Amino acid sequence: MSQKSRKASNPADEFKALHTSSIVVTKVSKIKVEDKGSVRHAVFLNPAKVNHTVWKMDGGIVKNATCADWMVSKDGVGDIVCELKGGDVGKALVQVHATASFARQSRILNGRLAGLVLCTQHPGISTKIQRAMNAFAREFSAPIHVRCRGGEFVFEHVLSFNGPERL
Protein backbone atom coordinates (compact mmCIF):
# COMPACT_ATOMS: atom_id res chain seq x y z
CA MET A 1 0.00 0.00 0.00
CA SER A 2 1.41 3.37 -0.93
CA GLN A 3 1.92 6.26 1.48
CA LYS A 4 -0.62 8.38 -0.39
CA SER A 5 -3.48 5.87 -0.12
CA ARG A 6 -2.92 5.49 3.64
CA LYS A 7 -3.26 9.23 4.17
CA ALA A 8 -6.39 9.57 2.03
CA SER A 9 -9.51 9.44 4.18
CA ASN A 10 -12.99 10.83 4.29
CA PRO A 11 -13.12 14.63 4.98
CA ALA A 12 -16.07 14.08 7.32
CA ASP A 13 -14.04 11.61 9.39
CA GLU A 14 -11.16 14.07 9.66
CA PHE A 15 -13.61 16.81 10.71
CA LYS A 16 -15.16 14.52 13.34
CA ALA A 17 -11.71 13.76 14.76
CA LEU A 18 -11.09 17.49 15.31
CA HIS A 19 -14.45 18.14 17.01
CA THR A 20 -15.09 15.03 19.10
CA SER A 21 -16.52 16.92 22.08
CA SER A 22 -19.38 18.37 19.97
CA ILE A 23 -20.29 15.24 18.02
CA VAL A 24 -22.20 12.19 19.23
CA VAL A 25 -22.83 9.03 17.20
CA THR A 26 -25.90 7.21 18.47
CA LYS A 27 -28.17 4.26 17.66
CA VAL A 28 -31.00 4.97 20.13
CA SER A 29 -34.58 4.58 18.90
CA LYS A 30 -35.51 8.22 19.64
CA ILE A 31 -32.86 10.88 19.05
CA LYS A 32 -33.72 14.07 20.92
CA VAL A 33 -32.16 17.46 20.29
CA GLU A 34 -32.94 20.26 22.72
CA ASP A 35 -31.33 23.28 24.30
CA LYS A 36 -31.17 23.92 28.00
CA GLY A 37 -34.03 26.22 29.01
CA SER A 38 -35.81 25.95 25.65
CA VAL A 39 -39.40 24.75 25.41
CA ARG A 40 -38.83 23.37 21.90
CA HIS A 41 -37.24 20.04 21.05
CA ALA A 42 -37.13 17.66 18.11
CA VAL A 43 -37.17 13.88 18.38
CA PHE A 44 -36.08 11.87 15.34
CA LEU A 45 -37.46 8.35 15.25
CA ASN A 46 -34.95 5.58 14.63
CA PRO A 47 -36.84 2.26 14.92
CA ALA A 48 -34.14 0.35 12.98
CA LYS A 49 -31.48 1.73 15.38
CA VAL A 50 -29.06 2.73 12.63
CA ASN A 51 -26.18 5.16 13.22
CA HIS A 52 -27.07 8.84 13.43
CA THR A 53 -24.57 11.61 14.12
CA VAL A 54 -25.71 14.54 16.26
CA TRP A 55 -23.61 17.68 15.76
CA LYS A 56 -23.75 20.50 18.34
CA MET A 57 -23.15 23.38 15.94
CA ASP A 58 -23.83 26.66 17.77
CA GLY A 59 -21.34 27.02 20.60
CA GLY A 60 -19.84 23.62 19.84
CA ILE A 61 -18.31 23.29 16.39
CA VAL A 62 -18.98 26.90 15.38
CA LYS A 63 -18.18 29.60 17.91
CA ASN A 64 -18.81 33.33 17.66
CA ALA A 65 -20.57 33.13 14.28
CA THR A 66 -24.10 32.85 12.93
CA CYS A 67 -25.10 29.22 13.15
CA ALA A 68 -28.06 26.93 13.86
CA ASP A 69 -28.21 24.91 17.07
CA TRP A 70 -27.94 21.32 15.79
CA MET A 71 -27.34 19.15 12.76
CA VAL A 72 -28.45 15.51 12.69
CA SER A 73 -26.99 13.17 10.06
CA LYS A 74 -28.08 9.72 9.02
CA ASP A 75 -25.36 7.72 7.30
CA GLY A 76 -25.96 7.50 3.56
CA VAL A 77 -29.30 9.35 3.74
CA GLY A 78 -28.77 13.02 4.56
CA ASP A 79 -28.55 15.84 7.07
CA ILE A 80 -31.10 17.98 8.90
CA VAL A 81 -30.09 21.39 10.24
CA CYS A 82 -32.23 22.19 13.32
CA GLU A 83 -32.80 25.58 14.88
CA LEU A 84 -34.80 25.84 18.11
CA LYS A 85 -36.00 29.43 18.15
CA GLY A 86 -38.19 31.80 20.08
CA GLY A 87 -40.07 34.18 17.83
CA ASP A 88 -37.62 35.52 15.23
CA VAL A 89 -38.20 33.08 12.36
CA GLY A 90 -36.36 35.31 9.88
CA LYS A 91 -33.18 35.11 11.96
CA ALA A 92 -33.61 31.34 12.35
CA LEU A 93 -33.72 30.91 8.57
CA VAL A 94 -30.49 32.91 8.23
CA GLN A 95 -28.88 30.65 10.86
CA VAL A 96 -29.99 27.47 9.04
CA HIS A 97 -28.62 28.83 5.75
CA ALA A 98 -25.29 29.75 7.36
CA THR A 99 -24.95 26.30 8.92
CA ALA A 100 -25.72 24.53 5.64
CA SER A 101 -23.10 26.66 3.90
CA PHE A 102 -20.55 25.87 6.62
CA ALA A 103 -21.30 22.13 6.38
CA ARG A 104 -20.93 22.18 2.60
CA GLN A 105 -17.61 24.09 2.79
CA SER A 106 -16.36 21.67 5.45
CA ARG A 107 -17.42 18.75 3.25
CA ILE A 108 -19.37 17.05 6.03
CA LEU A 109 -22.73 16.80 4.26
CA ASN A 110 -23.98 13.27 3.97
CA GLY A 111 -26.47 13.30 1.08
CA ARG A 112 -29.76 15.18 0.94
CA LEU A 113 -30.26 18.23 3.14
CA ALA A 114 -33.16 19.91 4.94
CA GLY A 115 -33.71 22.65 7.49
CA LEU A 116 -36.09 22.41 10.44
CA VAL A 117 -37.01 25.48 12.48
CA LEU A 118 -39.03 24.93 15.65
CA CYS A 119 -40.23 28.21 17.10
CA THR A 120 -42.51 29.42 19.86
CA GLN A 121 -44.21 32.05 17.70
CA HIS A 122 -44.95 31.76 14.02
CA PRO A 123 -46.11 34.99 12.38
CA GLY A 124 -47.29 33.14 9.29
CA ILE A 125 -45.47 33.01 6.01
CA SER A 126 -44.37 36.58 5.40
CA THR A 127 -42.61 37.69 2.23
CA LYS A 128 -39.28 37.80 4.08
CA ILE A 129 -39.68 34.20 5.27
CA GLN A 130 -40.83 33.00 1.86
CA ARG A 131 -37.82 34.60 0.16
CA ALA A 132 -35.42 32.99 2.63
CA MET A 133 -37.04 29.57 2.10
CA ASN A 134 -36.87 29.96 -1.69
CA ALA A 135 -33.22 31.06 -1.57
CA PHE A 136 -32.35 27.98 0.49
CA ALA A 137 -34.25 25.73 -1.92
CA ARG A 138 -32.44 27.27 -4.92
CA GLU A 139 -28.96 27.07 -3.43
CA PHE A 140 -29.16 23.65 -1.76
CA SER A 141 -32.09 21.98 -3.61
CA ALA A 142 -33.49 21.38 -0.15
CA PRO A 143 -36.53 22.40 1.92
CA ILE A 144 -36.77 24.34 5.17
CA HIS A 145 -39.75 23.51 7.35
CA VAL A 146 -41.00 25.93 10.02
CA ARG A 147 -43.17 24.52 12.80
CA CYS A 148 -44.64 26.08 15.95
CA ARG A 149 -44.36 22.92 17.96
CA GLY A 150 -41.73 20.35 18.70
CA GLY A 151 -42.43 16.69 18.39
CA GLU A 152 -41.41 13.44 16.80
CA PHE A 153 -40.26 13.35 13.19
CA VAL A 154 -39.38 10.64 10.69
CA PHE A 155 -35.96 11.56 9.32
CA GLU A 156 -36.78 10.87 5.64
CA HIS A 157 -40.04 12.87 5.86
CA VAL A 158 -38.17 15.98 7.00
CA LEU A 159 -35.87 15.66 3.97
CA SER A 160 -38.93 15.79 1.69
CA PHE A 161 -40.35 19.01 0.27
CA ASN A 162 -43.82 17.66 1.26
CA GLY A 163 -43.12 18.37 4.89
CA PRO A 164 -42.08 16.56 8.03
CA GLU A 165 -45.53 15.12 8.61
CA ARG A 166 -45.66 13.12 5.39
CA LEU A 167 -43.42 11.69 2.69
Side-chain angles (χ1 to χ4, degrees), residues 85-155:
K85 200 62 171 175
D88 194 351
V89 177
K91 183 177 179 188
L93 296 174
V94 169
Q95 289 173 292
V96 168
H97 194 278
T99 304
S101 296
F102 173 81
R104 182 168 50 186
Q105 287 174 343
S106 301
R107 297 173 43 196
I108 58 173
L109 291 179
N110 203 13
R112 295 185 306 168
L113 179 68
L116 181 63
V117 176
L118 301 176
C119 56
T120 55
Q121 298 175 358
H122 191 299
I125 300 293
S126 69
T127 307
K128 179 181 177 182
I129 293 171
Q130 198 167 16
R131 283 186 187 141
M133 293 170 98
N134 289 340
F136 189 83
R138 264 192 316 275
E139 185 173 341
F140 297 102
S141 299
I144 294 182
H145 306 290
V146 179
R147 297 294 182 264
C148 296
R149 54 178 171 66
E152 295 183 347
F153 301 97
V154 175
F155 196 90

Side-chain angles (χ1 to χ4, degrees), residues 46-61:
N46 184 17
K49 296 188 178 180
V50 298
N51 275 347
H52 283 67
T53 305
V54 180
W55 311 71
K56 174 68 174 148
M57 300 302 284
D58 191 16
I61 294 172

Side-chain angles (χ1 to χ4, degrees), residues 63-103:
K63 294 177 174 71
N64 300 325
T66 300
C67 189
D69 297 324
W70 299 94
M71 187 168 83
V72 180
S73 303
K74 185 175 182 179
D75 292 342
V77 177
D79 306 284
I80 299 172
V81 178
C82 298
E83 174 60 30
L84 309 173
K85 200 62 171 175
D88 194 351
V89 177
K91 183 177 179 188
L93 296 174
V94 169
Q95 289 173 292
V96 168
H97 194 278
T99 304
S101 296
F102 173 81

